[in-house]
Amino acid sequence: MLGIFILIAAYRYYARLAERFSKTKWHYGLLAIGIYLGTQLIFGVAYGIYQGITDTASLEDSNFMAFSGINLVGWLLSIAAVYGIYKFLENKFIEENLQKPSLEIEEIGRKE
């Protein structure tokens, strides 16, 4: 349930970033969902492999739907990945906007 709230928040977070820089909102919203789910998937597979190598008997007793410390770590890693890529995109968009006005200034006075 908490994962759904994180997905919604990540979608809205990226959509606001896209709106601020005049980009397509849903593209970046879906990117946020992909980043979150991809990080969760990679972490889950890595933890499953680790658990399978160290204690094979524990794989039969695993309850993946219960709240645990591993779920908390997965959520925190996913949130960190979403935030890190958000900051990367924000810096990239700021740099693009800094270059964009200079192109518009050069075109002042040109005849079409």
Side-chain angles (χ1 to χ4, degrees):
M1 184 68 171
L2 184 60
I4 293 171
F5 291 128
I6 294 171
L7 279 173
I8 293 168
Y11 182 92
R12 294 186 68 184
Y13 197 52
Y14 272 61
R16 273 190 243 125
L17 173 71
E19 185 177 21
R20 197 170 64 200
F21 291 101
S22 302
K23 305 284 185 186
T24 307
K25 291 184 347 182
W26 67 272
H27 286 172
Y28 288 95
L30 290 179
L31 175 66
I33 291 173
I35 293 167
Y36 175 80
L37 292 176
T39 306
Q40 285 282 30
L41 180 71
I42 290 170
F43 179 75
V45 168
Y47 179 70
I49 290 171
Y50 167 76
Q51 195 173 17
I53 290 172
T54 58
D55 187 16
T56 55
S58 66
L59 291 176
E60 295 174 9
D61 299 331
S62 294
N63 182 6
F64 297 109
M65 299 305 287
F67 180 77
S68 67
I70 295 302
N71 289 345
L72 183 63
V73 171
W75 290 328
L76 292 175
L77 284 175
S78 296
I79 290 170
V82 167
Y83 180 75
I85 294 175
Y86 174 88
K87 287 309 245 181
F88 171 76
L89 288 173
E90 184 179 38
N91 291 337
K92 181 181 168 189
F93 293 158
I94 288 171
E95 287 177 12
E96 285 178 5
N97 275 352
L98 290 177
Q99 293 172 357
K100 192 175 187 179
S102 64
L103 294 175
E104 293 173 358
I105 290 172
E106 289 176 5
E107 295 195 15
I108 295 175
R110 285 190 185 177
K111 294 183 180 180
E112 293 182 1

